[in-house]
Amino acid sequence: MSDYSLNGKVPSKLMEITHSQSLIASPLTVNGKVMGAILLTHRNPHHFSYDNYRLLQTLSSHIGLSVSNALLHAELRRMANRDMLTDMYARHYLDKMIQQYQVNDFCGSLIVVDIDEFKQVNDTYGHQKGDDILRQVSDIVKSSIREEDVPARWGGEELAVYMPQLGVHQAVKVAEVIRSRVARETSPSVTISSGIAEWCWTDPQVSVDSLFYRADMALYRAKNSGRNQIQMENINDM
């Protein structure tokens, strides 16, 4: 557009706010799709030349390629930190996040979840249905926690949720919501057992390994006490 003052068809807030008269624009294409546009304006009419327009087209092509590469890099990072079956975070990402929280927070809780008799599910219904059950339980876990909580697949049929700045008694309430929903909403119906541990800045030892160990010991007690229940850490686990 060489002279906006002569344009009587389409009003432009951009041109009005910037008091511009000249405009050149080029689409921003990413992977063959138009994702936006680059617009250059100037207050003088007839400011841009055809060479300016060709240069903008070249620049927009390079910018589109850079955006495409950035999106691809972000997706690769996301995939590296995610479990493909459950779309939960991977164990290494959970470990890293807990370490960061333990540096800056004053407390937090870890819930470790295990699907009861999961081998029997696979033997009875097949591994494909076993994967479906694992996805169902994962979806229940993710929809039962806060946005700031970190859900992860710990390994096999075991899941974990780290809850920053939440004490063990509050975490038990969340774990009970998950336990009751799993028993009620999964098909075929399964149950889960959970172990919960917490850390506090006053603890003599604050580490990811210690937190996982204590939560895992609580989980073993839940499994050995009849399953379909929640156990908290006790003083003997520390």
Side-chain angles (χ1 to χ4, degrees), residues 162-202:
Y162 179 72
M163 314 190 80
Q165 304 209 35
L166 208 65
V168 66
H169 294 288
Q170 295 170 299
V172 166
K173 295 179 181 179
V174 178
E176 176 56 28
V177 170
I178 296 172
R179 187 202 65 78
S180 60
R181 285 189 61 193
V182 167
R184 187 173 64 250
E185 299 176 18
T186 50
S187 178
S189 180
V190 296
T191 62
I192 58 171
S193 300
S194 298
I196 305 176
E198 70 174 348
W199 70 273
C200 179
W201 66 276
T202 58

Side-chain angles (χ1 to χ4, degrees), residues 75-197:
E75 179 62 16
L76 289 174
R77 287 186 59 186
R78 190 192 75 82
M79 292 175 63
N81 290 328
R82 293 276 183 174
D83 172 67
M84 298 302 294
L85 178 64
T86 63
D87 197 37
M88 282 184 156
Y89 289 111
R91 169 69 187 270
H92 69 86
Y93 181 83
L94 178 63
D95 289 350
K96 182 179 72 173
M97 292 303 297
I98 294 176
Q99 285 180 326
Q100 293 180 8
Y101 279 119
Q102 287 181 334
V103 170
N104 300 309
D105 290 351
F106 59 87
C107 74
S109 292
L110 177 68
I111 305 174
V112 176
V113 177
D114 184 87
I115 301 176
D116 296 328
E117 299 180 323
F118 189 69
K119 183 179 183 301
Q120 183 175 335
V121 173
N122 283 329
D123 292 343
T124 303
Y125 300 101
H127 288 277
Q128 186 172 0
K129 178 56 70 172
D131 287 347
D132 182 53
I133 285 292
L134 189 53
R135 280 190 291 264
Q136 291 182 47
V137 175
S138 300
D139 289 343
I140 291 172
V141 170
K142 288 184 287 186
S143 63
S144 300
I145 60 178
R146 305 171 301 173
E147 184 177 351
E148 61 266 35
D149 298 332
V150 186
R153 186 179 181 185
W154 195 21
E157 68 273 21
E158 290 184 324
L159 310 174
V161 179
Y162 179 72
M163 314 190 80
Q165 304 209 35
L166 208 65
V168 66
H169 294 288
Q170 295 170 299
V172 166
K173 295 179 181 179
V174 178
E176 176 56 28
V177 170
I178 296 172
R179 187 202 65 78
S180 60
R181 285 189 61 193
V182 167
R184 187 173 64 250
E185 299 176 18
T186 50
S187 178
S189 180
V190 296
T191 62
I192 58 171
S193 300
S194 298
I196 305 176

Side-chain angles (χ1 to χ4, degrees), residues 6 15 32 40 44 46 48 54 67 69 73 76 79-80 85 90 95 107 126 134 170 174 202 216 226 228:
L6 300 179
M15 302 298 282
L40 296 180
N44 296 333
H46 306 283
F48 298 110
R54 294 291 295 174
V67 172
N69 290 336
H73 180 68
L76 289 174
M79 292 175 63
L85 178 64
D95 289 350
C107 74
L134 189 53
Q170 295 170 299
V174 178
T202 58
D216 201 31
N228 191 25

